[in-house]
Amino acid sequence: MLRLITRKFLEVVLFLLFITFISFLFIRLAPGDPALTILNVDELSVSQEQIEALREEMGFNDPLIVQYGQWLAKFLKLDFGNSYATGEPAVRLIASSLPTTLELTLGSLAVMLAVALPLASLSALYRDSWLDKLSRTLSVIGAAVPSFWLGLILIDLFAVQLGWLPTMGRGGLPSMVLPSLTLGLAISSVYLRLLRSSLLDSLSEEFIISGRARGIPEWRIFWAYAFRHSLPPVVTVFGVSIGSLIGGVVVIEVLFAYPGIGKLVVDSIRQRDYPVIQGYILVMAVTVFAVNTGVDLLNRYLKPEVRLKGRRM
């Protein structure tokens, strides 16, 4: 156990150093001047001497490796710096926006499970039936339609034409419906195909055929054996795709003006607000690493052979 904890600790340290350095490099090389954000005026209102003086004071003229070292030293003291745009601590801005994004992510996952789980199960149980063909057609359409376009269709239908739901902002459960539906339907097509394929593979395994020969009820074979056996690849893909899922939340938050961490970082990128951008990347990196570690542990539980392999390593 100590060996596993030590290995995970070294992995997370190296992972965070790599991610933060690469992101720091690309952010600094991107066009735009954060000095103008700090001065909070347009380029024509201040002299070039004032801009240069501020850049020198903030250390923007130092070599990138020196700037990264200074940022890293502050980070080790849990200091993410202050936002150039608002002057508030970056960690406070991120912490206030993160719960909004998490509730939207959970809503999207609920929609994904409500759509993908029953459709994939029925498609696998009734392979090549009209239901299976309909399910596969819907999954192809869902994969081909961009999430923002789907969001625009839902806005037009449920907000403009029917007037049932709000289109913008955060105002309780009704305001969550359209963004959650948009993102949940977009990702459900991927997991519908994956779960269906994994279930079909499981249903053709020898232990399933043997179970049927022993007279075990079909519902028990499906839920107790085949379904559980089909989950590891789905869980693994979910861990890998968590980054793209969060990226999808960013797009949806901007589309619906949902005040989550995605909208915060888009506004920060527009304003070249380095502390908030760097803090966002760090939080997302930790989240992705934590999710993948959780997926690894869950796979060890779902597949005993993975657990035994880990012990032998």
Side-chain angles (χ1 to χ4, degrees):
M1 179 59 74
L2 181 61
R3 185 178 176 184
L4 177 64
I5 293 174
T6 304
R7 193 185 70 183
K8 286 292 180 186
F9 177 76
L10 291 175
E11 284 179 2
V12 72
V13 170
L14 293 175
F15 177 73
L16 291 180
L17 283 174
F18 176 77
I19 290 295
T20 55
F21 179 73
I22 293 296
S23 60
F24 191 92
L25 188 64
F26 279 104
I27 291 170
R28 289 328 193 258
L29 293 178
D33 193 342
L36 296 177
T37 300
I38 298 173
L39 291 171
N40 200 25
V41 290
D42 61 48
E43 198 169 352
L44 300 176
S45 304
V46 293
S47 64
Q48 190 62 35
E49 289 74 16
Q50 288 176 298
I51 296 175
E52 283 299 326
L54 183 60
R55 290 180 58 80
E56 188 67 28
E57 179 186 345
M58 298 295 295
F60 296 146
N61 291 330
D62 293 337
L64 285 176
I65 191 67
V66 174
Q67 294 185 48
Y68 177 72
Q70 293 170 345
W71 176 85
L72 193 60
K74 287 184 178 179
F75 165 68
L76 293 176
K77 300 175 185 175
L78 300 180
D79 180 8
F80 284 21
N82 293 334
S83 165
Y84 296 159
T86 66
E88 296 180 64
V91 68
R92 183 187 301 169
L93 292 174
I94 293 171
S96 63
S97 302
L98 192 57
T100 306
T101 294
L102 291 179
E103 72 180 22
L104 188 57
T105 303
L106 291 176
S108 306
L109 291 176
V111 172
M112 184 270 284
L113 289 174
V115 173
L117 192 61
L119 280 180
S121 301
L122 292 172
S123 291
L125 283 172
Y126 303 102
R127 185 177 185 180
D128 296 330
S129 65
W130 68 268
L131 185 60
D132 183 30
K133 293 174 183 174
L134 176 63
S135 173
R136 282 185 288 168
T137 303
L138 290 176
S139 69
V140 172
I141 294 174
V145 175
S147 58
F148 70 90
W149 192 69
L150 178 62
L152 292 176
I153 292 176
L154 293 176
I155 288 174
D156 181 65
L157 178 61
F158 291 104
V160 179
Q161 303 294 333
L162 299 174
W164 290 353
L165 296 166
T167 59
M168 301 178 70
R170 183 190 185 200
L173 188 60
S175 65
M176 280 184 59
V177 174
L178 287 182
S180 298
L181 272 177
T182 302
L183 188 58
L185 290 175
I187 61 176
S188 62
S189 60
V190 176
Y191 289 94
L192 194 161
R193 287 182 296 169
L194 182 62
L195 184 56
R196 174 188 175 275
S197 175
S198 186
L199 278 170
L200 289 175
D201 289 341
S202 298
L203 289 171
S204 63
E205 292 283 346
E206 289 186 1
F207 68 92
I208 296 293
I209 299 172
S210 175
R212 284 174 176 152
R214 292 203 303 270
I216 299 175
E218 191 64 30
W219 66 267
R220 187 177 178 188
I221 287 178
F222 184 80
W223 291 110
Y225 302 108
F227 188 77
R228 176 173 175 172
H229 189 264
S230 67
L231 283 181
V234 180
V235 172
T236 302
V237 171
F238 177 75
V240 173
S241 66
I242 190 66
S244 60
L245 177 63
I246 295 173
V249 172
V250 171
V251 174
I252 300 307
E253 284 181 356
V254 173
L255 178 64
F256 289 94
Y258 213 78
I261 196 170
K263 188 174 184 303
L264 172 69
V265 76
V266 169
D267 292 340
S268 300
I269 290 172
R270 191 182 299 122
Q271 297 170 322
R272 305 295 181 271
D273 200 346
Y274 293 164
V276 178
I277 301 171
Q278 198 70 28
Y280 165 81
I281 292 172
L282 185 64
V283 169
M284 291 302 106
V286 171
T287 302
V288 170
F289 189 87
V291 169
N292 278 281
T293 302
V295 166
D296 186 34
L297 295 175
L298 187 57
N299 272 334
R300 288 169 180 265
Y301 169 75
L302 292 172
K303 296 191 75 171
E305 58 268 33
V306 176
R307 185 166 60 246
L308 293 174
K309 182 180 176 182
R311 287 177 181 173
R312 288 196 294 267
M313 290 178 61

